[in-house]
């Protein structure tokens, strides 16, 4: 599953024993895989500051999740010809250690091997400053995303309009890719070549009557140069001074003169514009065979330490990376930007989750700061109800009223503004990595 539950409980002896009981039950019942979630010691500040940060982090959490989902969808749109490879390109920075910064790993591995990035978000700074750094970073990414995707959408719309003109019927489509110079009488003071659309059932009638529709029509000057499901495009050459008369007579016979005069420069310009737009669109995403074959890389010659809470059959260390992804090789600028900044936004989002756990744990459990955060990954959707029952049973002692209210929705928790469905005896946050669902 792509779902995680991030919880915390006080770090005293009684609750550490409760965590062990939870781990034993969930392991034996195959409900979830659990690991400790490391959170640094932050500067606590005042109670008023923490209360304010709790509200701000909630909003920032929602904003960050929305942003990375929009970025994931943008990757889908840009990789329209390789949608099966999208998930392989939604990766995160592999770690904060100097020899791991260049690595990209899948999102699940990043969450389960999470380490706070001290270089980017120094834990010694006041919490307000850390949150402000994250907020500004995400706001800048969103601003850039809007401008880049708007430019790409405009390009795509223009190209689609041109493509429609090249695939419509003979009445509406562009003729620059159909006609050639040899189809027209050019540079003549007296003669001109017109294009006439003739319904398919009327081909014989056209060939029999076109010379007599008006005076001064050049005999045997018609030629079929294109067809669609409804009719054909014929040329006819006549004297310029009878154009209007010929158009009237053609209309009376249900032949349509297409307004078109051959201009070699204009046709060349239109063809070059189409080629340029196709090239511009393609350059936004050029498949890197190397990158797509390798997909999501794991760890190269390094191990990532994870402190497991159980499940000895499951390895605690990361896998060895056999290949390093060729960063950005063969990719267009938009896809490359999306991949880099998706990673940045995703990493920021998980740091926000860590901050929320810290702030809510201090507010809930008090000072001095002493709590244990745990990441649970439910094994299957059908197990989530049972997993919740286990958690509520193990940590019931933390808040008897809240635990009772979960079983009985009619019980109100005095002073609590949240709905009972959002409140548990323990601190709880949800992480859903199903960004493309």
């Amino acid at each position: 599953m792509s779902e995680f539950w991030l919880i915390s409980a006080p770090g005293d002896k009684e609750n550490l024993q409760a965590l062990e009981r939870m781990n034993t039950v969930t392991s034996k019942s195959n409900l979830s895989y659990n690991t400790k979630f490391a959170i640094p010691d932050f500067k606590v500040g005042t109670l008023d500051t923490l209360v304010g940060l709790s509200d701000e982090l909630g909003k920032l959490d929602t904003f960050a999740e929305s942003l990375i989902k929009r970025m994931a969808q943008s990757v889908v749109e840009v990789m329209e010809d390789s949608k099966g490879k999208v998930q392989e390109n939604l990766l995160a920075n592999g770690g904060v250690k100097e020899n791991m910064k260049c690595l990209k790993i899948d999102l699940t591995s990043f969450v389960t091997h999470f380490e706070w990035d001290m270089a980017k978000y120094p834990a010694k700074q006041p919490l307000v400053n850390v949150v402000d750094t994250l907020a500004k970073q995400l706001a800048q990414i969103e601003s850039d995303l809007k401008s880049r995707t708007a430019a790409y959408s405009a390009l795509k719309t223009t190209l689609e309009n041109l493509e429609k003109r090249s695939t419509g019927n003979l009445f509406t489509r562009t003729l620059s890719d159909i006609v050639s110079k040899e189809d027209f009488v050019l540079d003549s003071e007296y003669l001109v070549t017109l294009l006439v659309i003739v319904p398919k059932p009327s081909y014989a009638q056209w060939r029999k009557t076109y010379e007599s529709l008006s005076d001064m029509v050049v005999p045997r000057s018609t030629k079929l140069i294109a067809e669609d499901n409804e009719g054909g495009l014929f040329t006819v050459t006549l004297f310029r001074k009878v154009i209007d008369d010929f158009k009237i007579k053609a209309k009376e016979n249900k032949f349509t003169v297409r307004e078109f005069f051959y201009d070699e420069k204009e046709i060349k310009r239109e063809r070059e514009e189409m080629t340029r737009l196709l090239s511009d669109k393609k350059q936004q995403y050029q498949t890197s065979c190397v990158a797509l074959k390798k997909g999501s890389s794991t760890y190269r010659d390094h191990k990532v330490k994870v402190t497991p809470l159980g499940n000895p059959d499951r390895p605690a260390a990361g896998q060895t990376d056999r290949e390093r992804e060729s960063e950005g090789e063969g990719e267009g600028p938009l896809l490359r930007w999306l991949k880099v900044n998706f990673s940045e936004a995703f990493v920021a989002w998980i740091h926000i989750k860590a901050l929320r756990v810290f702030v809510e744990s201090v507010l809930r459990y008090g000072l001095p700061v002493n709590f244990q955060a745990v990441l649970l990954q439910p094994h299957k959707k059908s197990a989530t109800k049972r997993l919740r029952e286990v958690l509520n049973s193990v940590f019931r002692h933390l808040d008897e009223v809240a635990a009772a209210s979960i079983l009985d929705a009619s019980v109100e928790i005095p002073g609590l503004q949240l709905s009972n469905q959002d409140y548990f005896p323990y601190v709880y946050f949800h992480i859903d990595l199903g960004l493309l669902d």
Side-chain angles (χ1 to χ4, degrees), residues 401-413:
V401 177
S405 72
I406 294 167
L407 300 176
D408 184 358
S410 64
V411 176
E412 294 185 0
I413 306 175

Side-chain angles (χ1 to χ4, degrees), residues 167-217:
T167 56
N169 60 36
L170 291 172
F171 290 92
T172 59
R173 65 167 295 167
T174 181
L175 302 179
S176 61
D177 58 341
I178 293 177
V179 300
S180 63
K181 186 176 181 179
E182 291 70 28
D183 297 324
F184 297 84
V185 174
L186 301 174
D187 303 321
S188 171
E189 184 180 350
Y190 302 104
L191 296 176
V192 65
T193 300
L194 300 182
L195 298 178
V196 183
I197 301 170
V198 179
K200 279 190 174 180
S202 304
Y203 281 8
Q205 180 189 355
W206 165 258
R207 290 190 175 98
K208 182 178 179 180
T209 62
Y210 80 91
E211 294 177 356
S212 59
L213 289 177
S214 175
D215 296 334
M216 301 184 178
V217 175

Side-chain angles (χ1 to χ4, degrees), residues 59-70:
K59 296 175 182 177
L60 194 58
D61 186 352
T62 301
F63 172 71
E65 183 174 8
S66 170
L67 177 60
I68 62 175
K69 284 183 176 180
R70 280 181 282 155

Side-chain angles (χ1 to χ4, degrees), residues 33 311-318:
Y33 174 65
N311 195 355
D313 295 331
R314 181 163 178 166

Side-chain angles (χ1 to χ4, degrees), residues 52-252:
L53 284 176
S54 176
D55 182 59
E56 185 176 349
L57 283 168
K59 296 175 182 177
L60 194 58
D61 186 352
T62 301
F63 172 71
E65 183 174 8
S66 170
L67 177 60
I68 62 175
K69 284 183 176 180
R70 280 181 282 155
M71 297 184 78
Q73 189 57 46
S74 293
V75 173
V76 172
E77 293 174 4
V78 175
M79 294 183 66
E80 57 186 15
D81 297 326
S82 303
K83 289 186 176 179
K85 302 291 185 180
V86 169
Q87 196 67 54
E88 298 176 17
N89 285 271
L90 298 179
L91 306 175
N93 294 329
V96 298
K97 298 174 183 176
E98 284 301 319
N99 53 8
M100 292 178 60
K101 282 187 175 179
C102 60
L103 295 180
K104 295 285 188 179
I105 60 175
D106 64 273
L107 306 184
T108 296
S109 294
F110 180 86
V111 174
T112 55
H113 301 86
F114 175 76
E115 294 181 34
W116 185 270
D117 191 337
M118 293 292 186
K120 189 178 290 185
Y121 313 111
K124 293 183 179 180
Q125 286 189 358
L127 279 175
V128 173
N129 292 5
V130 178
V131 174
D132 186 56
T133 298
L134 285 160
K136 287 179 178 178
Q137 179 187 7
L138 292 171
Q140 184 61 56
I141 291 175
E142 186 198 36
S143 176
D144 291 347
L145 175 66
K146 285 181 177 179
S147 61
R148 288 173 182 267
T149 53
Y152 179 73
S153 296
L155 168 65
K156 191 174 179 180
T157 299
T158 302
L159 186 57
E160 286 173 352
N161 291 336
L162 284 175
E163 288 173 343
K164 285 179 182 178
R165 288 183 58 199
S166 65
T167 56
N169 60 36
L170 291 172
F171 290 92
T172 59
R173 65 167 295 167
T174 181
L175 302 179
S176 61
D177 58 341
I178 293 177
V179 300
S180 63
K181 186 176 181 179
E182 291 70 28
D183 297 324
F184 297 84
V185 174
L186 301 174
D187 303 321
S188 171
E189 184 180 350
Y190 302 104
L191 296 176
V192 65
T193 300
L194 300 182
L195 298 178
V196 183
I197 301 170
V198 179
K200 279 190 174 180
S202 304
Y203 281 8
Q205 180 189 355
W206 165 258
R207 290 190 175 98
K208 182 178 179 180
T209 62
Y210 80 91
E211 294 177 356
S212 59
L213 289 177
S214 175
D215 296 334
M216 301 184 178
V217 175
V218 178
R220 295 191 296 278
S221 64
T222 194
K223 179 175 68 172
L224 177 64
I225 59 174
E227 286 186 294
D228 61 16
N229 294 331
E230 299 173 2
L233 187 68
F234 288 80
T235 61
V236 60
T237 301
L238 53 130
F239 279 73
R240 291 181 181 274
K241 64 181 182 180
V242 297
I243 288 178
D244 292 339
D245 183 53
F246 183 87
K247 286 181 178 179
I248 293 171
K249 297 292 177 58
K251 186 175 181 180
E252 290 174 356

